[in-house]
Amino acid sequence: MFGLGKKKIVVASPFAGQVVPVTEVPDPVFAQRMLGDGFAVIPEEGASVVNVCSPISGTLRKIFKTLHAFAVVGDDGAEILVHIGLETVELKGEGFTALVESGAKVTVGQPIISVDVAAIRAGGRTPITPVVFTKNGQVSDVSITDSHPSMAGVKVATARFA
């Protein structure tokens, strides 16, 4: 009753940058929450190379072959996708370096992929990075708790399990 007892998930920023609602991502698949609810982070303007970290503790379920995204299953069962930049799959891994292998246990704030953000921008792509809960119906809502420029591993959002 009144939402009491509903489990909450605390999510950290994957890197330093400005946190925005997922509805502000300039891609309809993310903005319309087709992949799930969440938020996005825009790297700092002067950022050159960024280590993209795990937003939760759990198991690194998958690093995509082109290194543009990874999925983590949290210790609490949350399933989160971190998609580094938009249209970055087209780079076929260029400018991305995996720092951890799929299947590894990870902790919040642990670097997963290093990315050349300057190259993404130079190629005309946006480095905005959506962080979304991908398990259909898993969370009822996501609240950004800190939209100010944040650091990697710092709590920026809370989600409630549905």
Side-chain angles (χ1 to χ4, degrees), residues 101-132:
E101 291 185 21
S102 292
K105 290 297 260 177
V106 296
T107 57
V108 65
Q110 180 177 346
I112 307 296
I113 294 177
S114 178
V115 60
D116 185 344
V117 174
I120 289 174
R121 286 186 170 123
R125 293 171 177 85
T126 176
I128 191 169
T129 298
V131 178
V132 296

Side-chain angles (χ1 to χ4, degrees), residues 2-9 140-141 159-162:
F2 302 109
L4 297 176
K6 283 199 175 190
K7 189 172 170 184
K8 291 184 180 180
I9 306 162
S140 59
D141 66 84
R160 279 190 304 186
F161 271 106

Side-chain angles (χ1 to χ4, degrees), residues 30-61:
F30 290 106
Q32 294 173 18
R33 298 182 179 117
M34 290 180 201
L35 290 179
D37 201 358
F39 61 93
V41 184
I42 304 166
E44 295 172 326
E45 199 56 45
S48 159
V49 174
V50 169
N51 283 335
V52 183
C53 302
S54 181
I56 58 174
S57 292
T59 302
L60 184 59
R61 174 176 266 168

Side-chain angles (χ1 to χ4, degrees), residues 86-104:
L86 299 180
E87 299 177 16
T88 50
V89 68
E90 297 167 1
L91 297 174
K92 298 180 180 160
E94 190 172 324
F96 296 83
T97 304
L99 306 173
V100 181
E101 291 185 21
S102 292

